[in-house]
Amino acid sequence: KNEVEQSPQNLTAQEGEFITINCSYSVGISALHWLQQHPGGGIVSLFMLSSGKKKHGRLIATINIQEKHSSLHITASHPRDSAVYICAVLYNFNKFYFGSGTKLNVKP
Amino acid sequence: DTAVSQTPKYLVTQMGNDKSIKCEQNLGHDTMYWYKQDSKKFLKIMFSYNNKELIINETVPNRFSPKSPDKAHLNLHINSLELGDSAVYFCASSLTSGRASETQYFGPGTRLLVL
């Protein structure tokens, strides 16, 4: 069993749609990261959060510590948002667990 | 200027060889990391160094040895390469904490293929 579960595994959306990617984890965490991996392979860190909500442009990340759950939202999605989104949790400051990723394809 | 750079970008080598992957960051960060992404695209942390000191050392074979000559560099040396070492290796850095509780900046990755 993976300590971090993401859903859905694959997601296809039309341009302009509101998108939600979910991440559930089974351990008490120190922090949670959302990463974006482009089709070319490059990885970008989108958010690091330990509580509440963060917003950057069209991206919003929320975390509920009690429910051990985080969501990544994309408003007004665009084809350039097509990528793999990876949730990663930091446990006890020295254990790092990754989800298997959500592959997003936004069609024009 | 590239913030986190890795060399080489591609590495094809024979089983049993010894190889090194280099990583440099010009962000003035104190902490650097090595990750492995396997063929199923699953990311896994291998090591982290804070100011040249090993902080995170996941269960990786002894054949993998990180070396940090200074806080701007974290090289990964792999001895006796095996087929299963084929993967993409990513280097990353963060500002201060060696405990991965900060935003990390990733290098472009090194694609290693062991034949």
Side-chain angles (χ1 to χ4, degrees):
Chain A
K1 179 185 179 296
N2 196 12
E3 286 80 3
V4 183
E5 299 283 347
Q6 282 187 240
S7 63
Q9 280 193 307
N10 293 283
L11 182 56
T12 299
Q14 286 298 129
E15 184 173 356
E17 283 185 6
F18 179 83
I19 288 163
T20 296
I21 299 171
N22 295 300
C23 174
S24 296
Y25 50 91
S26 58
V27 295
I29 64 168
S30 310
L32 182 144
H33 294 254
W34 280 103
L35 308 174
Q36 179 193 53
Q37 186 165 29
H38 295 288
I43 296 177
V44 174
S45 177
L46 297 175
F47 295 103
M48 191 284 298
L49 61 167
S50 53
S51 65
K53 176 179 171 178
K54 286 190 177 180
K55 184 176 189 293
H56 185 249
R58 294 179 296 105
L59 301 176
I60 303 166
T62 63
I63 188 168
N64 185 318
I65 298 295
Q66 286 74 27
E67 295 185 3
K68 293 187 171 62
H69 181 268
S70 176
S71 293
L72 177 68
H73 305 286
I74 305 174
T75 61
S77 60
H78 190 276
R80 64 173 175 267
D81 298 326
S82 298
V84 175
Y85 292 83
I86 302 167
C87 171
V89 301
L90 176 67
Y91 167 63
N92 207 29
F93 288 107
N94 63 2
K95 288 288 182 189
F96 214 4
Y97 300 111
F98 288 85
S100 55
T102 295
K103 188 173 182 180
L104 172 65
N105 182 23
V106 181
K107 294 184 175 181
Chain B
D1 273 348
T2 304
V4 182
S5 59
Q6 293 179 230
T7 53
K9 284 185 74 172
Y10 299 95
L11 183 54
V12 181
T13 188
Q14 299 279 5
M15 229 170 34
N17 284 349
D18 302 339
K19 290 293 178 186
S20 291
I21 306 172
K22 295 185 177 181
C23 179
E24 177 181 1
Q25 53 93 5
N26 62 8
L27 297 166
H29 288 172
D30 284 342
T31 304
M32 297 182 73
Y33 309 81
W34 275 111
Y35 294 90
K36 178 181 179 181
Q37 187 173 42
D38 61 26
S39 57
K40 295 181 181 176
K41 303 295 185 184
F42 202 77
L43 264 173
K44 186 176 178 180
I45 192 167
M46 300 174 72
F47 303 103
S48 87
Y49 267 72
N50 177 257
N51 226 346
K52 297 174 30 177
E53 181 186 345
L54 183 64
I55 301 296
I56 295 175
N57 183 6
E58 288 298 302
T59 307
V60 299
N62 291 339
R63 299 180 294 103
F64 290 79
S65 54
K67 288 180 171 47
S68 182
D70 55 62
K71 73 174 191 177
H73 296 85
L74 182 62
N75 303 324
L76 184 64
H77 190 76
I78 315 171
N79 288 329
S80 303
L81 277 156
E82 298 178 358
L83 296 177
D85 297 332
S86 296
V88 181
Y89 293 84
F90 286 96
C91 176
S93 72
S94 65
L95 184 59
T96 54
S97 169
R99 297 178 169 182
S101 57
E102 295 177 318
T103 298
Q104 296 183 28
Y105 296 81
F106 285 80
T110 295
R111 282 144 185 83
L112 171 64
L113 177 60
V114 182
L115 302 175

